[in-house]
Amino acid sequence: MASNQESIHGTKFPFQVQEMERQMNLEPQKKEFDYSKRSQWLRAAVLGANDGLVSTASLMMGVGAVKEDIKAMIITGFAGLVAGACSMAIGEFVSVYSQLDIEVGQMKREKRREDAFEATKLEVQEEENDESLPSPVQAAAASALAFSLGAMVPLLAASFIKAYKVRIGVVVAAVTLALMVFGWLGAVLGRAPVVRSAARVLIGGWLAMAITFGLTKLIGIKGL
């Protein structure tokens, strides 16, 4: 009797535990959400919005340097928004589509080298690869939307103010606040020093607006 119990506890039971562990390992497990992908997309969106903010505000400041008419400034800003959003979308689509072609080609080469693997394992790998592939349409839409949101800041700031000097001041103030926010978001998402990153973004935006305003004013004075 004792020997039978020893055989059960010493021999059969460990085999049963091993079998149960093997079956549990074979069961499909829920995939954890990849937060790094979300961080990359958010950071790209912040950079796109910052690009739309700086480029559109610089265009509006350039036109404002030679024309005090609010209509000319708004039309210039709107044209910059549309042109910039389209340019961002097309550029991102072409870039991501090229990346997609490279990754698909690499997957096909790896699949040919893995003919010795089991079919089930290949199916799992294919599903994971499909999920990780970049989407050109999604990237283009995100870039255009982010650029447009950033460009709306100076447009909205200047839309309802007719006084020239007040309008210029409000645009600079609104862009400054937005640059600080975008710089802070980019630093947080990129895990960089917040103050230093926000200062770089702010100073870069100021320089872009100042250079555009100054050069356009100079050309206007010279009558070129």
Side-chain angles (χ1 to χ4, degrees):
M1 184 68 175
S3 62
N4 291 336
Q5 291 179 351
E6 290 178 358
S7 65
I8 292 174
H9 293 285
T11 306
K12 293 183 178 179
F13 188 69
F15 283 126
Q16 292 176 355
V17 173
Q18 292 176 2
E19 182 65 22
M20 291 175 62
E21 290 179 351
R22 188 179 67 82
Q23 292 179 357
M24 291 175 64
N25 291 332
L26 290 176
E27 291 180 357
Q29 299 179 354
K30 293 182 179 180
K31 297 180 180 178
E32 296 183 358
F33 183 79
D34 189 356
Y35 288 94
S36 63
K37 294 181 180 179
R38 174 182 291 181
S39 176
Q40 292 173 1
W41 275 105
L42 288 175
R43 184 166 176 77
V46 170
L47 293 176
N50 183 75
D51 189 11
L53 172 68
V54 173
S55 60
T56 304
S58 298
L59 281 172
M60 294 174 65
M61 293 294 291
V63 171
V66 294
K67 287 189 176 182
E68 298 183 2
D69 185 15
I70 185 175
K71 185 177 180 180
M73 183 179 284
I74 297 300
I75 291 177
T76 302
F78 181 76
L81 185 156
V82 175
C86 293
S87 176
M88 289 284 290
I90 295 171
E92 195 70 17
F93 182 85
V94 173
S95 176
V96 175
Y97 214 104
S98 299
Q99 179 185 353
L100 178 63
D101 290 338
I102 294 172
E103 293 188 10
V104 170
Q106 181 64 25
M107 287 170 54
K108 291 179 179 179
R109 288 190 293 271
E110 291 179 355
K111 186 177 180 181
R112 287 195 294 267
R113 291 196 298 265
E114 293 173 349
D115 290 338
F117 284 10
E118 296 179 359
T120 54
K121 187 173 182 179
L122 286 174
E123 291 177 359
V124 172
Q125 289 180 348
E126 287 177 358
E127 291 178 0
E128 293 178 351
N129 289 334
D130 290 340
E131 292 178 358
S132 64
L133 289 175
S135 172
V137 176
Q138 185 180 13
S143 298
L145 179 61
F147 187 96
S148 300
L149 290 176
M152 288 298 295
V153 173
L155 273 173
L156 292 176
S159 295
F160 306 101
I161 301 176
K162 293 183 179 180
Y164 170 71
K165 292 183 178 179
V166 177
R167 184 168 69 248
I168 293 295
V170 170
V171 170
V172 172
V175 171
T176 298
L177 179 60
L179 285 171
M180 293 175 62
V181 173
F182 290 153
W184 174 79
L185 282 176
V188 171
L189 294 174
R191 296 182 180 180
V194 175
V195 177
R196 190 182 303 171
S197 298
R200 282 198 298 263
V201 173
L202 182 60
I203 294 173
W206 280 348
L207 284 175
M209 289 189 294
I211 292 172
T212 306
F213 184 91
L215 290 178
T216 309
K217 188 75 172 179
L218 181 61
I219 292 174
I221 293 174
K222 296 295 183 180
L224 299 178

